[in-house]
Amino acid sequence: MDINSFIEEITPYVIEKRREFHEHPEVAWTEYVTSYKIIKELEKLNCTIHFGNEIFVTEERIGLPSQTDISENEARAMEMGVPSSFIEKMKNGHTGVIAQFDTGKPGKHTAFRFDIDALPILEAEEENHIPFQQKFHSKRAGVMHSCAHDGHAAIGLGIAQFLYQFTDELTGRFTVIFQPAEEGGRGAKPIVAKGWLDDADYFISGHIGIQSYPVGTIAATANNFLASSKIDVTYLGKSAHAGLEPNKGRNALLAAASAALHLNGITRHADGATRINIGTLEAGSGRNIVADLAKMQLETRGATTELNEEYMVKEAIRIIKASANLFDVEEEITFVGSAPNATCDEEWIPLVKESSADSSLVTNVIDEMSMGASEDATYMMNRVREKGGLATYMVFCSPLPAGHHHPKFDFEEMVLPTAIDAISRLVLHINK
């Protein structure tokens, strides 16, 4: 089979899988149904499948949901047909899948990464929103694939099919990582710690969308990855009657509100982009009660890991503590995710251009595209490069009716075969 025939054959399959994943989104560390569906597809191929705690250093996982959330999602997965034996192996948030293909012939080790988690967003139910119009919108209120990870998972299955069907034309070994918990920067680091990428010669990952261009435009590499830290803060005060004895209370709500305002006032750094966002703030229990509890979720970002960790995080912690002191409450600070910055190897630019030259789907190759966001695939990229391998993060463009993390986010589905075509041709090219 030639590559054109393969892409033509695989296109309906990957669109079907994307829609299936889109209908049943799952947030970080609860991707039980998604992982099971991926495993069932991989079982049809000649590969070794790993899942559960064998793919992580368990202790490196952070930002886990509450045990109640995990248990509820495990029960939901069983109701949706995931066997108890699979749930038992993935128990307590050990989601995600890794597939290994071995051609049996000497050669390089190439690794791929595709993220699979969704976001806590209520999807739009409007006729001009294609998933709703065509009846494959989220079946879970308040959870949505709003960052194209449903498409990434489908592309990953397409690449697995390629590795299976083109084994005779390939050499060496291939590792396909279906990573949980990318949102919040949580899933990559514990996989890296397990050593899956320590001997990888090549690493390829990527993203659908980012910037709105016609399908067929791809970027060979990406730059401007922002390092990021995800932080949860709890303020613990003392409740009191707001009218009778307000002086006996210690107001956690005011401490959190003060922190939220002053955190946004951190002076931006001259050496590069620095950002902060307070995403959630929950406090208080009634209008006549001095609030004794407040919870806040925030993130910092920086153009480099140093700008983020040595400047933004330190300034944020200083302000969080100062706000607690100002209102005489206690603070608890928990780091629940992170991502370093990273750089793609420039060697990929001519490789992608050369390998895509004969493609009818890839019509324009951009050398590099600015991300302006954070991605924990950077942990994987950095590990591969530290060990002497080459790493890239590609972008597969599509018109975007709404931005990433928006209730009406969507992409044109022909970007799926375009991405598979580009990656498959690139693999054949570097495998010569």
Side-chain angles (χ1 to χ4, degrees):
M1 177 184 293
D2 64 25
I3 193 72
N4 291 324
S5 298
F6 167 73
I7 295 298
E8 184 178 352
E9 178 185 282
I10 204 75
T11 296
Y13 168 80
V14 294
I15 291 175
E16 175 191 346
K17 291 302 166 188
R18 179 264 167 149
R19 295 187 173 198
E20 190 175 327
F21 293 137
H22 192 90
E23 284 188 75
H24 303 288
E26 299 171 295
V27 297
W29 300 128
T30 68
E31 307 96 329
Y32 296 102
V33 176
T34 304
S35 297
Y36 178 68
K37 289 178 179 291
I38 290 169
I39 289 167
K40 298 311 290 182
E41 293 304 308
L42 293 172
E43 285 179 344
K44 303 171 186 177
L45 312 178
N46 184 24
C47 63
T48 304
I49 302 169
H50 305 270
F51 67 103
N53 60 13
E54 64 186 283
I55 72 174
F56 304 106
V57 172
T58 294
E59 296 74 19
E60 291 284 342
R61 297 179 309 147
I62 60 175
L64 291 166
S66 69
Q67 189 57 55
T68 298
D69 284 343
I70 287 176
S71 297
E72 288 176 352
N73 278 281
E74 289 174 352
R76 174 188 55 82
M78 290 184 68
E79 290 174 1
M80 291 186 65
V82 180
S84 58
S85 58
F86 282 83
I87 295 295
E88 188 61 32
K89 191 165 181 181
M90 291 188 283
K91 198 169 183 61
N92 295 321
H94 286 87
T95 48
V97 186
I98 294 179
Q100 290 183 303
F101 294 79
D102 193 336
T103 66
K105 293 168 279 187
K108 303 289 188 179
H109 176 200
T110 303
F112 311 86
R113 181 280 216 159
F114 305 95
D115 41 13
I116 65 173
D117 57 322
L119 286 154
I121 291 176
L122 179 65
E123 184 164 14
E125 295 188 355
E126 300 175 19
E127 282 303 321
N128 62 352
H129 180 52
I130 297 299
F132 181 73
Q133 180 191 101
Q134 299 193 14
K135 297 181 170 47
F136 66 91
H137 62 290
S138 173
K139 300 299 185 288
R140 297 185 66 201
V143 186
M144 177 191 176
H145 272 295
S146 185
C147 200
H149 297 190
D150 50 342
H152 299 170
I155 293 168
L157 288 177
I159 293 302
Q161 289 277 355
F162 161 75
L163 296 173
Y164 171 66
Q165 295 193 34
F166 283 76
T167 298
D168 291 344
E169 298 180 41
L170 300 170
T171 62
R173 297 178 295 119
F174 301 88
T175 299
V176 185
I177 301 169
F178 294 89
Q179 182 205 309
E182 185 280 326
E183 300 293 353
R186 293 173 275 178
K189 189 176 181 182
I191 291 175
V192 170
K194 195 71 172 181
W196 292 100
L197 297 158
D198 286 356
D199 66 346
D201 299 287
Y202 301 113
F203 175 79
I204 301 169
S205 189
H207 210 297
I208 291 170
I210 304 300
Q211 297 186 25
S212 190
Y213 284 97
V215 170
T217 295
I218 68 171
T221 64
N223 61 17
N224 193 25
F225 289 97
L226 298 180
S228 182
S229 295
K230 318 298 181 182
I231 306 170
D232 286 354
V233 180
T234 300
Y235 285 110
L236 302 168
K238 181 182 178 182
S239 63
H241 192 295
L244 184 63
E245 48 184 11
N247 55 296
K248 291 189 177 181
R250 299 199 304 277
N251 201 315
L253 183 154
L254 293 180
S258 173
L261 289 172
H262 288 95
L263 285 166
N264 273 286
I266 294 175
T267 302
R268 298 307 181 251
H269 204 287
D271 291 345
T274 48
R275 298 176 185 169
I276 191 165
N277 185 61
I278 293 84
T280 69
L281 187 96
E282 302 174 17
S285 57
R287 72 177 69 248
N288 61 347
I289 304 166
V290 175
D292 65 340
L293 178 68
K295 296 182 178 181
M296 181 167 58
Q297 295 178 321
L298 65 133
E299 65 172 16
T300 62
R301 300 183 195 248
T304 65
T305 303
E306 291 72 25
L307 278 173
N308 178 57
E309 294 181 356
E310 298 302 318
Y311 181 67
M312 289 301 293
V313 170
K314 285 187 175 181
E315 281 294 284
I317 297 302
R318 180 180 66 81
I319 290 170
I320 290 165
K321 289 179 176 290
S323 297
N325 187 56
L326 181 65
F327 290 91
D328 193 24
V329 302
E330 297 177 1
E331 84 284 345
E332 295 177 355
I333 301 170
T334 306
F335 285 83
V336 295
S338 65
N341 71 316
T343 304
C344 294
D345 291 291
E346 293 181 359
E347 289 91 330
W348 290 99
I349 296 172
L351 291 173
V352 173
K353 288 183 173 180
E354 292 162 9
S355 62
S356 298
D358 295 330
S359 172
S360 61
L361 295 179
V362 178
T363 56
N364 180 33
V365 178
I366 299 171
D367 289 359
E368 60 182 6
M369 184 171 289
S370 175
M371 292 292 290
S374 306
E375 236 288 8
D376 73 350
T378 50
Y379 277 114
M380 298 183 179
M381 295 165 66
N382 288 342
R383 177 57 63 93
V384 171
R385 298 186 74 219
E386 286 166 6
K387 297 291 184 177
L390 297 176
T392 192
Y393 190 94
M394 303 173 70
V395 180
F396 310 104
C397 296
S398 166
L400 302 175
H404 293 267
H405 298 198
H406 188 280
K408 292 179 68 173
F409 175 83
D410 191 26
F411 55 84
E412 289 189 7
E413 290 178 323
M414 278 306 293
V415 74
L416 303 176
T418 300
I420 296 167
D421 182 85
I423 296 172
S424 299
R425 290 177 186 275
L426 180 58
V427 170
L428 289 170
H429 190 64
I430 62 178
N431 207 246
K432 291 179 180 177

